[in-house]
Each structure stands twice: as C-alpha cells, then as structure tokens.
Amino acid sequence: MLQDLLSVYKPRLTGHTVLRAQRNFGRAVAIQSGNIVANTFSVGGGVSARVYDGGFWGIASDTTYDASAIEKALSDATRNAGLLRARLGEKSPPLPVAPSGKFATRSNENDAEQRAVMEFTRELDAYILKKYPNLAARVVSLQSNAVEKVTVSSDGADLYSILPRSVAYFSLCATAPDGMVVEYTDFEAKTGFIPECYPAPEALFPKIDEIYETLMKKCEGVFPEAGLRDVIIDSNLGGMLAHEAIGHPTEADLVRAGSIAGSNLGKAVASELISITDFANTAYGKTLPQNVLVDDEGTPARDVKIIQNGVLREFMHSRDTARHFNVEPTGNARAESFAAEPIVRMRNTAILPGKDKIEDMIASVDDGYFLAQTGNGSADLTSEFMFGVTMGYEIKKGKLGRAIRDTTVSGVAFDMLKTVTMVSDELTWHGGGTCGKFGQSMPVGMGGPSIKCKITMGGR
Amino acid sequence: MKTKLMEIAEYALGELKTRGADGAALLVGEALGDSLQADYGETSLMSSSVGASISVKALIGGRRGNYATNGIDRESVDLAIAGALEAAEVSVPDEAEVIPEGFGDYDYDIGSTQGDPEKLFDCAQGFVDDCARDYPKIAVEKLGTNFSLNHSVYANSNGSRYYGRGGSYGFGASVVARDGDKVTTSSGFGFSAYDFDKPALSREYGRRVLSDCEKQLDPVPMSGKLVGKLLLSPECFDDVLDTALSLGVFDSAIIMGVSPWKDKIGEKVASDALTITCDPFDSRLIFPPRMGDGHILERQEVIKDGKLNSFLLSHYASLKTKLPRAKCTSCAIAKPGERSYLDILADIDDGLLLNSFTGGSPAPNGDFSFVARQSFRIRGGEICEAVNETMVSGNVFDMLRNIIGISRETVDDGCLMTWAAFEGITISGK
C-alpha cells in the first residue's frame, strides 16, 4: 500500500497547491500462438507538486517518493509558477476555493503471484489449442493494472484511492473460404485484481467459445456497402458513441479551444430520446469502473448531465475551465501519472437507456446493418467522430443476415444524434477502455444502450 | 552519470548471475526535463521533472522474466532483480530466448548538454506570434516546448556495455482554425531538435500544416462513391507504410504466419518506384538511435525497387522463425522519385489529397476502411474543396502495388518520407 507521506504537509499548503503521490502497477502474461511473448511486472510512481500563482501553474515531480523529494517538488513547483508570473505579469486572480475533504476508495488488494497468472493464461491457451486446432493464429493475454494515489490539497482534500482492473484478452485468426485470414478480437475487463476477477480459467471458456463462433461467422462475412445507412448500434458500442461523439466535444478545455459544442449550450443537439451523463463514481446503485471521488486537483467529483432529452446542458470541467466559464468545477481533472498535468477527462460516460426492446429495433429496419462490436474510436472539435467496427451483421427486412467484415463508421455527432429514433431499455458498461488525449492515456468507463440511427459506413 | 549507471548495471548483472540467472540484460537510466506549455495561445505552465528507471530481463534455462520500475536506488534495483527472476522461474523454456551476443563497449553522445529555458520561451512565443501574423484564423489549442537530458546504460551478460547520452529540445503544437462559430478538426505539428536555433515555422512542413488547416473551415461531405486516386502527404504515407510493414514484415505477423508477405522474400510486392531502407546513419535524421534490441544498429534495406528484401525481425523472432534478424527496424526512409509532387498532382483527374486518416485496425490481409482527415478533393489536377465525412477503403498491400508516383521532395522532420500517389482506391461519402 502506498504510504501517506503527504498529509503532514497539509498545513503548509497555501493558495492553490496540490501534492500527489501515485503508483501505477502493471502485470501481464501474453501468449502468441503458443509463444510466451510477455511475462512482465512493472511499477512506476513518484510524487509531484502543482502550484497556482497569478494565473500560471508550476509543476515539479520526482520518481523518488520521500520527504526530501516532496520538499524539492514543492519548492520547484512554487519557483516554476513564480518564474512565469515574474516574467509575464499576473494574468488571473487566485482560484476560488473548492472545499474538499477526506475520501478513500478501497479494494481487495490481493494481487496474484506471477506463477498463478502464467498458469492461468497457459490453461486458456491450451483450451483454445485443444478445442480449436485449426485456427491460423491465436493470442491470449491476462493482465492487471492498478492506479494507487495519495492526494492532499490546500482546499482540504485528503484522498487515498486504489483502482485496479483486470483484463482477459483474446484474438483469434482463421482462414476464410476465400483464403483471407480473418481476425476477431474481444476482451473482458473487470474492476479488481486478477484473483478477485478471475478465480478460475474455466469461467472464461464460454467467452472463448463465443469469440470462436463469432469468428466463424465473420469468415463467411461480406463487405458492407459504403454510404449513409440505417443501423442499430449494439449496446456494446453505445458507450463508445457516448465517449467519442459527445464526450470529447463537451470537455470544457476543448470547448474553450473552439469545440462546436460551445455554441450549442442550451440548444437541442440530439433526438429527445438521447440523454448522456458522465458519472463520477456510481450509477443506478452500482459502483462504476472509474470510481472517482476526488479528482487530481482535489475537487470532489459529481455527475455531469451533458445532454438531457436531446438538449445540451453542461460541460465537464477542471478548476481552470470552471472559472473561465463561471461555473462550479465538476471533478473531471485527471492525470495519467504523478508527473502529468491534470486535464479535463471523462470518468464513466453513458447514454442513458430508453424504452425499446432490441428485438423490435432490429425488426424495424428494412435494409441496414447491426453493428455489434468495436475496437477503437476518435472524435474532434467539430464533433465528427469515427469508430472501427470489428463485428456486425446485415439487417434485411427486419432480420439479422450475413456477418460483415471489418469496417469503420463515421458521422457528425450533432447531426447523427438527431437521427436516433429508438433507444433500447438495457445499459451495458465497459470498464476496459483507455482514452488518449494530449499524450496522456487514461482508463475510462463507457456505457450505453442500443440505438437506431443513420450513420456513414465505410466499405466497398 | 555514466559511472553511476554502469555501477548499477554491474551490480545488477552480478546479482542476477549469483541468484541463478544464466543470462540477463538490463536498461538503466536517468532523465531530467523542463517544459513550458501554452494553452489557447497563452503561456500557462512550467514544469520540471527528475526521473530514473530500470528494466531487467532474466533468463533461467531459456525461461524469460521481465520487471521494470522507475527507481534506481538499491531497494528498487533489488526489487527489479527479484521480480525478473521470479517471473523467469514460472515461465516455460523457449529456445529462442537467448541474450544477444556481446558487442563490447559503445558510447553514444548526441545533442545539447544543458537546456536553455529562454529558448523554450522564445520558441513558443515565436510560434504564437508567427501564427498570429501569417495565419490569422489559426488558434493554438495547446503548445509545448521542452528540453530533456537522458542518460542510459544497456548491459548484458555477454559483455555488451552501451552508454548513451542525449540532450534534446522538443516542440509540439495542436491547432485549429476558427472563424465565428466555424471550427476545424485539430491539426498537429511537432519536431525534435538539437537546438532551438531557428523558428518553428522555418520548417516548410509546419507552414503546410497551418495553411491546410485554415483551408478546412468549410468542408463539404463527399456524395456518392468513386474508385479514384489518392495523393498522400509524407506524414500520411508514413502511416500507411507503417501499417503495411506492421502487417507484413514485423515479428507478430511472421511468427504467427499470417503475413501476406510471409513467402515473398525476393519477390515483387510493390511498384518499382518503391524503395524503403531503415538507415539510422542518414545524416538528415534527428536523434537517430544507435542501439536497439540488444544490438548496435546497421543499415537495413527492406524493399528495393518493389522487391521485398527482408523482414524486420527482432532477435527473438529471428531465432523463433530461423529467418535473418533485422539490423534495424526503425528510421524508415523512402527513396525519392524524380518528379515533384505538384507534377504528380497534375496527373490526378479525380481523387483525394489525404493529409491524415483515422479508422479501425486494418485486417491481417491489409483491408482497411478509414475516415479522411484534413483532406481535400482533387479534380483536374488541382486541389479543390476540403472534405469531411469521407471514407477511403482499400487494401494497403494492393496500394503499394498501385503506386503511380513518388515525389522527389521528402519531409525530414523525424520521418524521411515522400509524397506518394495511388490508384484504385474506393472513396465514398454520404
């Protein structure tokens, strides 16, 4: 457990100052067609100080975590902010106080031994090899990552937090009848260390069987027809849509940079069926994948109701952007590592469920596609987004048809979301996502129902 | 610093041997950094960092274990040693897990020995001022300048002792164009330098990025579908080439046997115009590496006049597949053609200028479907309107066989790539 060496400095913190100690752990075993290509453990950590002075920030960090490094970080961060103020003159008054307090997230901290992770992963690989010997290639990996933090701030924040997650990853390749090598990748992510998440390999065998069966359908798949199409986006992808299409354009630092969302606050930007929230830590009585109680500026985290019934209501904020837009900070400032600057990031972003049944939604499509699985996505300030589709099916006259091969879909979120005519009544959460922004990678939670809309598909 | 890092390396190698490793390799380093950041065109943040790290690889009877941590005090080094040994003990033997042969002592010293904070200010402010003067619709979203000084030692149990010291300046900017409520997608421009001795926008590449960004304010979605030609900017060609090489010649694709080029050594895989070499000794490269994968790097020809000359296999993958190890797997350089990119553009009657793309991962056979970014329609040999909501689909391996032009111009800010044109690409919109 990360030792709290920071609390004793609280009485000395003035203005707006935050001290953060953080350790990021990673454990992984990966087997590629029977070859062990990863058998690793890594830990990276240290301490940083962040000081605000006259509208400027100073940060200093050290990979050593002891009293001497903390003193030096405080001193250097204060010097850095002061240098900017002295050179450029005071730019802004002090930040308003954001009262905080003592918070803690706990977890079962029993991490697996490397031997157990190795044996577990080899059992998964042996299962695939024995049951599906004709595969062209296979990759299996089991990994756990944890972020452990101690944060104290001049506004009273005093946080201990540990957020572990474990991921079982599978990628299978087969040769299709047309001679093409087809790949299907899927993973299962859970909150916690490996022993808690995956007590036995057998529990993952059904997942492997499902991936294999999906791959076989994909081998028989056809290329989708390019163009604007009627689609049902499965709840597996709903979270990706919420994150990429709406989440990024409504991060307040991007709004300040010119995101198209900025001129649409208070306006209808989507069908009345669409509501989107960035949840801080819990939703519908459950703890979410990213359990953020206090952000990396020491601000208590609250839910941000981005879109309510189609109307754009609010943005996600750090202390800096909140002051710029004259609102309260929302606790969305997060940093990848102890040394990184906290920037506006999502936590657990979801489209809220509607009332439709998925069967009725599919039945309502005469000629279109059912998009079942994704691998990655991106978006920009114009709200133009894309995501890769790694599995899907044709829909013909209300029924699922042939599988389709890999494709990419795109659209302009504020146009596309107005085409939504049905939203399903289920909500699927994914905790295995990683989001990249300004060079920082951050674990995020994503959730969504299934959605019927029009979207531009790539294809032949 | 060299002495301190070498002592840590010798200690760790000694301990690993004493505690049962029959082979070991490690990388130990220290880094100091200063950086300056501007948000929305205004200086906002100054930071300084002190960092240290060690990564250890241990072999016990052909079983490999790795451990990495970012401390080099005795406690951290001992943890890394114990962790790598523990991981190796629980692994399974693999005859391809061998420590590379020793190369003796090798020192590599490059770049500045000390950063100048004034240069960080001057370079950042100069860029903001130049943008405001020459590109009035450009808004600087985020801008960073930095100096970092890195010392590292690689050592292995076969006698290799490498010491590297590099002091580098770095610049990176993310910009958009704005006009009233209109805004473009973000464009990026960055480079590394031995010194900040000239303005960031003295680079033609940077000016092209800003100019193209300003022209993106009124994009038009493509309508319909056509099979046409693509002109790729050097940065975009680099991305396409990366995709092809990753699916065609790197470790995973060859070990798993799913590369479409797995049996193509010595055969034609691309147009005659394409020659790709990995050359860390090319004088135009900034901060080329000297050591990788436990070996001192050498020049490696990958594709020559369209023929596949070599896979880009690591030491491990080479032993695994019994195919030659690559002498270098980075620093890819495309051989320039004889025509200017404007001449190549003039020959394109209907197509797209692609500056960037995003999309799902291509299939193992190279099929892809990407969204065009920062791109323009080409008609009658001229660059026309900016496009959005436009997809390009094809196959990266087919693309390399359908090259219709390689420019004589190269971009030499990190990658040494040319402009390249292709035919037979599906371009589609709404």
Side-chain angles (χ1 to χ4, degrees), chain B residues 320-349:
Chain B
K320 197 81 207 169
T321 58
K322 300 184 170 41
L323 292 165
R325 174 182 66 80
K327 295 170 185 165
C328 180
T329 60
S330 57
C331 307
I333 296 167
K335 181 182 170 187
E338 293 177 356
R339 305 170 68 204
S340 79
Y341 81 92
L342 291 173
D343 288 342
I344 295 169
L345 168 68
D347 284 348
I348 298 177
D349 48 354

mmCIF file of all heavy atoms in Angstrom, chain B residues 320-349:
data_model
loop_
_atom_site.group_PDB
_atom_site.id
_atom_site.type_symbol
_atom_site.label_atom_id
_atom_site.label_comp_id
_atom_site.label_asym_id
_atom_site.label_seq_id
_atom_site.Cartn_x
_atom_site.Cartn_y
_atom_site.Cartn_z
ATOM 1 N N LYS B 320 13.221 -17.660 -33.503
ATOM 2 C CA LYS B 320 11.963 -18.423 -33.498
ATOM 3 C C LYS B 320 11.643 -18.933 -34.893
ATOM 4 O O LYS B 320 11.167 -20.062 -35.066
ATOM 5 C CB LYS B 320 10.831 -17.504 -33.019
ATOM 6 C CG LYS B 320 9.585 -18.207 -32.583
ATOM 7 C CD LYS B 320 9.758 -18.718 -31.173
ATOM 8 C CE LYS B 320 8.919 -19.913 -30.907
ATOM 9 N NZ LYS B 320 9.273 -20.562 -29.639
ATOM 10 N N THR B 321 11.872 -18.109 -35.896
ATOM 11 C CA THR B 321 11.470 -18.462 -37.257
ATOM 12 C C THR B 321 12.636 -18.963 -38.101
ATOM 13 O O THR B 321 12.436 -19.378 -39.244
ATOM 14 C CB THR B 321 10.881 -17.222 -37.963
ATOM 15 O OG1 THR B 321 11.874 -16.180 -37.965
ATOM 16 C CG2 THR B 321 9.641 -16.711 -37.251
ATOM 17 N N LYS B 322 13.848 -18.867 -37.530
ATOM 18 C CA LYS B 322 15.070 -19.242 -38.265
ATOM 19 C C LYS B 322 15.234 -18.417 -39.544
ATOM 20 O O LYS B 322 15.706 -18.895 -40.577
ATOM 21 C CB LYS B 322 15.085 -20.742 -38.568
ATOM 22 C CG LYS B 322 15.050 -21.576 -37.276
ATOM 23 C CD LYS B 322 15.160 -23.048 -37.521
ATOM 24 C CE LYS B 322 15.360 -23.841 -36.237
ATOM 25 N NZ LYS B 322 14.571 -23.418 -35.079
ATOM 26 N N LEU B 323 14.827 -17.168 -39.439
ATOM 27 C CA LEU B 323 14.995 -16.205 -40.529
ATOM 28 C C LEU B 323 15.950 -15.111 -40.056
ATOM 29 O O LEU B 323 16.125 -14.921 -38.851
ATOM 30 C CB LEU B 323 13.646 -15.592 -40.908
ATOM 31 C CG LEU B 323 12.652 -16.564 -41.563
ATOM 32 C CD1 LEU B 323 11.239 -15.978 -41.561
ATOM 33 C CD2 LEU B 323 13.098 -16.874 -42.992
ATOM 34 N N PRO B 324 16.571 -14.373 -40.967
ATOM 35 C CA PRO B 324 17.568 -13.378 -40.554
ATOM 36 C C PRO B 324 16.979 -12.284 -39.657
ATOM 37 O O PRO B 324 15.858 -11.843 -39.867
ATOM 38 C CB PRO B 324 18.052 -12.780 -41.875
ATOM 39 C CG PRO B 324 17.714 -13.797 -42.910
ATOM 40 C CD PRO B 324 16.479 -14.486 -42.440
ATOM 41 N N ARG B 325 17.786 -11.861 -38.698
ATOM 42 C CA ARG B 325 17.422 -10.746 -37.822
ATOM 43 C C ARG B 325 17.600 -9.428 -38.591
ATOM 44 O O ARG B 325 18.537 -9.289 -39.376
ATOM 45 C CB ARG B 325 18.353 -10.750 -36.605
ATOM 46 C CG ARG B 325 18.190 -9.562 -35.672
ATOM 47 C CD ARG B 325 19.176 -9.612 -34.514
ATOM 48 N NE ARG B 325 20.566 -9.457 -34.927
ATOM 49 C CZ ARG B 325 21.142 -8.285 -35.197
ATOM 50 N NH1 ARG B 325 20.433 -7.169 -35.129
ATOM 51 N NH2 ARG B 325 22.414 -8.226 -35.558
ATOM 52 N N ALA B 326 16.693 -8.479 -38.324
ATOM 53 C CA ALA B 326 16.834 -7.166 -38.952
ATOM 54 C C ALA B 326 17.954 -6.399 -38.265
ATOM 55 O O ALA B 326 18.074 -6.422 -37.046
ATOM 56 C CB ALA B 326 15.532 -6.383 -38.841
ATOM 57 N N LYS B 327 18.746 -5.714 -39.060
ATOM 58 C CA LYS B 327 19.837 -4.915 -38.487
ATOM 59 C C LYS B 327 19.312 -3.594 -37.929
ATOM 60 O O LYS B 327 20.001 -2.924 -37.171
ATOM 61 C CB LYS B 327 20.894 -4.641 -39.554
ATOM 62 C CG LYS B 327 21.588 -5.923 -40.031
ATOM 63 C CD LYS B 327 22.429 -5.624 -41.257
ATOM 64 C CE LYS B 327 23.019 -6.912 -41.810
ATOM 65 N NZ LYS B 327 23.539 -6.705 -43.178
ATOM 66 N N CYS B 328 18.119 -3.215 -38.346
ATOM 67 C CA CYS B 328 17.477 -2.000 -37.836
ATOM 68 C C CYS B 328 15.988 -2.094 -38.181
ATOM 69 O O CYS B 328 15.647 -2.549 -39.279
ATOM 70 C CB CYS B 328 18.089 -0.757 -38.481
ATOM 71 S SG CYS B 328 17.357 0.796 -37.925
ATOM 72 N N THR B 329 15.142 -1.716 -37.259
ATOM 73 C CA THR B 329 13.701 -1.791 -37.545
ATOM 74 C C THR B 329 13.022 -0.416 -37.490
ATOM 75 O O THR B 329 11.806 -0.327 -37.575
ATOM 76 C CB THR B 329 12.990 -2.727 -36.551
ATOM 77 O OG1 THR B 329 13.176 -2.209 -35.230
ATOM 78 C CG2 THR B 329 13.524 -4.143 -36.617
ATOM 79 N N SER B 330 13.817 0.631 -37.322
ATOM 80 C CA SER B 330 13.237 1.984 -37.292
ATOM 81 C C SER B 330 13.946 2.848 -38.337
ATOM 82 O O SER B 330 14.709 2.332 -39.147
ATOM 83 C CB SER B 330 13.388 2.583 -35.897
ATOM 84 O OG SER B 330 14.746 2.607 -35.518
ATOM 85 N N CYS B 331 13.717 4.140 -38.293
ATOM 86 C CA CYS B 331 14.377 5.080 -39.218
ATOM 87 C C CYS B 331 14.075 4.751 -40.680
ATOM 88 O O CYS B 331 14.971 4.747 -41.530
ATOM 89 C CB CYS B 331 15.898 5.090 -39.014
ATOM 90 S SG CYS B 331 16.417 5.367 -37.337
ATOM 91 N N ALA B 332 12.811 4.470 -40.997
ATOM 92 C CA ALA B 332 12.445 4.142 -42.379
ATOM 93 C C ALA B 332 12.585 5.363 -43.281
ATOM 94 O O ALA B 332 12.179 6.476 -42.918
ATOM 95 C CB ALA B 332 11.021 3.625 -42.419
ATOM 96 N N ILE B 333 13.161 5.130 -44.428
ATOM 97 C CA ILE B 333 13.412 6.208 -45.383
ATOM 98 C C ILE B 333 12.922 5.749 -46.759
ATOM 99 O O ILE B 333 13.277 4.660 -47.211
ATOM 100 C CB ILE B 333 14.918 6.526 -45.452
ATOM 101 C CG1 ILE B 333 15.388 7.063 -44.087
ATOM 102 C CG2 ILE B 333 15.220 7.526 -46.566
ATOM 103 C CD1 ILE B 333 16.886 7.114 -43.940
ATOM 104 N N ALA B 334 12.100 6.573 -47.383
ATOM 105 C CA ALA B 334 11.641 6.259 -48.738
ATOM 106 C C ALA B 334 12.576 6.921 -49.743
ATOM 107 O O ALA B 334 12.927 8.099 -49.591
ATOM 108 C CB ALA B 334 10.221 6.769 -48.934
ATOM 109 N N LYS B 335 12.974 6.166 -50.751
ATOM 110 C CA LYS B 335 13.840 6.732 -51.799
ATOM 111 C C LYS B 335 13.016 7.714 -52.639
ATOM 112 O O LYS B 335 11.942 7.358 -53.139
ATOM 113 C CB LYS B 335 14.379 5.601 -52.676
ATOM 114 C CG LYS B 335 15.304 6.072 -53.770
ATOM 115 C CD LYS B 335 15.727 4.877 -54.609
ATOM 116 C CE LYS B 335 16.453 5.344 -55.866
ATOM 117 N NZ LYS B 335 16.727 4.195 -56.765
ATOM 118 N N PRO B 336 13.507 8.948 -52.783
ATOM 119 C CA PRO B 336 12.742 9.938 -53.556
ATOM 120 C C PRO B 336 12.612 9.539 -55.026
ATOM 121 O O PRO B 336 13.463 8.833 -55.573
ATOM 122 C CB PRO B 336 13.578 11.220 -53.432
ATOM 123 C CG PRO B 336 14.515 10.990 -52.308
ATOM 124 C CD PRO B 336 14.755 9.516 -52.249
ATOM 125 N N GLY B 337 11.519 10.002 -55.639
ATOM 126 C CA GLY B 337 11.345 9.800 -57.073
ATOM 127 C C GLY B 337 11.958 10.948 -57.848
ATOM 128 O O GLY B 337 12.727 11.749 -57.290
ATOM 129 N N GLU B 338 11.571 11.061 -59.125
ATOM 130 C CA GLU B 338 12.182 12.093 -59.967
ATOM 131 C C GLU B 338 11.265 13.286 -60.204
ATOM 132 O O GLU B 338 11.709 14.341 -60.655
ATOM 133 C CB GLU B 338 12.588 11.469 -61.305
ATOM 134 C CG GLU B 338 13.724 10.462 -61.129
ATOM 135 C CD GLU B 338 14.103 9.776 -62.429
ATOM 136 O OE1 GLU B 338 13.423 10.045 -63.441
ATOM 137 O OE2 GLU B 338 15.052 8.977 -62.401
ATOM 138 N N ARG B 339 9.971 13.131 -59.905
ATOM 139 C CA ARG B 339 9.024 14.210 -60.207
ATOM 140 C C ARG B 339 8.650 14.970 -58.927
ATOM 141 O O ARG B 339 8.696 14.407 -57.825
ATOM 142 C CB ARG B 339 7.761 13.643 -60.839
ATOM 143 C CG ARG B 339 8.044 12.805 -62.088
ATOM 144 C CD ARG B 339 6.792 12.079 -62.534
ATOM 145 N NE ARG B 339 5.790 13.004 -63.034
ATOM 146 C CZ ARG B 339 4.488 12.737 -63.057
ATOM 147 N NH1 ARG B 339 4.035 11.576 -62.592
ATOM 148 N NH2 ARG B 339 3.628 13.619 -63.525
ATOM 149 N N SER B 340 8.248 16.208 -59.109
ATOM 150 C CA SER B 340 7.787 16.956 -57.946
ATOM 151 C C SER B 340 6.363 16.507 -57.621
ATOM 152 O O SER B 340 5.636 16.000 -58.482
ATOM 153 C CB SER B 340 7.801 18.451 -58.235
ATOM 154 O OG SER B 340 6.674 18.792 -58.997
ATOM 155 N N TYR B 341 5.953 16.727 -56.384
ATOM 156 C CA TYR B 341 4.595 16.286 -56.021
ATOM 157 C C TYR B 341 3.547 17.098 -56.775
ATOM 158 O O TYR B 341 2.440 16.618 -57.020
ATOM 159 C CB TYR B 341 4.399 16.310 -54.497
ATOM 160 C CG TYR B 341 4.088 17.653 -53.886
ATOM 161 C CD1 TYR B 341 2.774 18.071 -53.714
ATOM 162 C CD2 TYR B 341 5.104 18.498 -53.463
ATOM 163 C CE1 TYR B 341 2.482 19.296 -53.135
ATOM 164 C CE2 TYR B 341 4.825 19.722 -52.893
ATOM 165 C CZ TYR B 341 3.519 20.116 -52.737
ATOM 166 O OH TYR B 341 3.242 21.328 -52.181
ATOM 167 N N LEU B 342 3.889 18.320 -57.166
ATOM 168 C CA LEU B 342 2.937 19.113 -57.943
ATOM 169 C C LEU B 342 2.724 18.509 -59.325
ATOM 170 O O LEU B 342 1.618 18.535 -59.873
ATOM 171 C CB LEU B 342 3.424 20.555 -58.051
ATOM 172 C CG LEU B 342 3.385 21.333 -56.730
ATOM 173 C CD1 LEU B 342 4.044 22.701 -56.883
ATOM 174 C CD2 LEU B 342 1.949 21.472 -56.233
ATOM 175 N N ASP B 343 3.790 17.948 -59.912
ATOM 176 C CA ASP B 343 3.640 17.260 -61.204
ATOM 177 C C ASP B 343 2.770 16.011 -61.045
ATOM 178 O O ASP B 343 1.964 15.675 -61.917
ATOM 179 C CB ASP B 343 5.018 16.851 -61.751
ATOM 180 C CG ASP B 343 5.813 18.059 -62.239
ATOM 181 O OD1 ASP B 343 5.178 19.104 -62.469
ATOM 182 O OD2 ASP B 343 7.050 17.951 -62.362
ATOM 183 N N ILE B 344 2.975 15.310 -59.930
ATOM 184 C CA ILE B 344 2.161 14.109 -59.690
ATOM 185 C C ILE B 344 0.699 14.505 -59.497
ATOM 186 O O ILE B 344 -0.215 13.885 -60.045
ATOM 187 C CB ILE B 344 2.699 13.354 -58.438
ATOM 188 C CG1 ILE B 344 4.117 12.838 -58.723
ATOM 189 C CG2 ILE B 344 1.781 12.197 -58.062
ATOM 190 C CD1 ILE B 344 4.850 12.323 -57.507
ATOM 191 N N LEU B 345 0.490 15.585 -58.737
ATOM 192 C CA LEU B 345 -0.874 16.096 -58.524
ATOM 193 C C LEU B 345 -1.538 16.441 -59.856
ATOM 194 O O LEU B 345 -2.721 16.148 -60.076
ATOM 195 C CB LEU B 345 -0.802 17.341 -57.627
ATOM 196 C CG LEU B 345 -2.055 18.199 -57.506
ATOM 197 C CD1 LEU B 345 -3.157 17.440 -56.762
ATOM 198 C CD2 LEU B 345 -1.749 19.509 -56.784
ATOM 199 N N ALA B 346 -0.771 17.038 -60.746
ATOM 200 C CA ALA B 346 -1.334 17.487 -62.025
ATOM 201 C C ALA B 346 -1.885 16.328 -62.853
ATOM 202 O O ALA B 346 -2.763 16.514 -63.701
ATOM 203 C CB ALA B 346 -0.265 18.240 -62.816
ATOM 204 N N ASP B 347 -1.389 15.121 -62.591
ATOM 205 C CA ASP B 347 -1.850 13.947 -63.353
ATOM 206 C C ASP B 347 -3.100 13.301 -62.756
ATOM 207 O O ASP B 347 -3.608 12.306 -63.283
ATOM 208 C CB ASP B 347 -0.739 12.885 -63.383
ATOM 209 C CG ASP B 347 0.361 13.272 -64.367
ATOM 210 O OD1 ASP B 347 0.138 14.209 -65.156
ATOM 211 O OD2 ASP B 347 1.437 12.643 -64.321
ATOM 212 N N ILE B 348 -3.564 13.803 -61.609
ATOM 213 C CA ILE B 348 -4.728 13.184 -60.963
ATOM 214 C C ILE B 348 -5.990 13.916 -61.404
ATOM 215 O O ILE B 348 -6.203 15.082 -61.057
ATOM 216 C CB ILE B 348 -4.575 13.214 -59.420
ATOM 217 C CG1 ILE B 348 -3.337 12.401 -59.014
ATOM 218 C CG2 ILE B 348 -5.828 12.670 -58.744
ATOM 219 C CD1 ILE B 348 -3.044 12.411 -57.528
ATOM 220 N N ASP B 349 -6.821 13.224 -62.155
ATOM 221 C CA ASP B 349 -8.028 13.879 -62.674
ATOM 222 C C ASP B 349 -9.156 13.872 -61.648
ATOM 223 O O ASP B 349 -9.953 14.805 -61.575
ATOM 224 C CB ASP B 349 -8.478 13.204 -63.984
ATOM 225 C CG ASP B 349 -8.510 11.696 -63.856
ATOM 226 O OD1 ASP B 349 -8.084 11.175 -62.800
ATOM 227 O OD2 ASP B 349 -8.959 11.025 -64.801
#
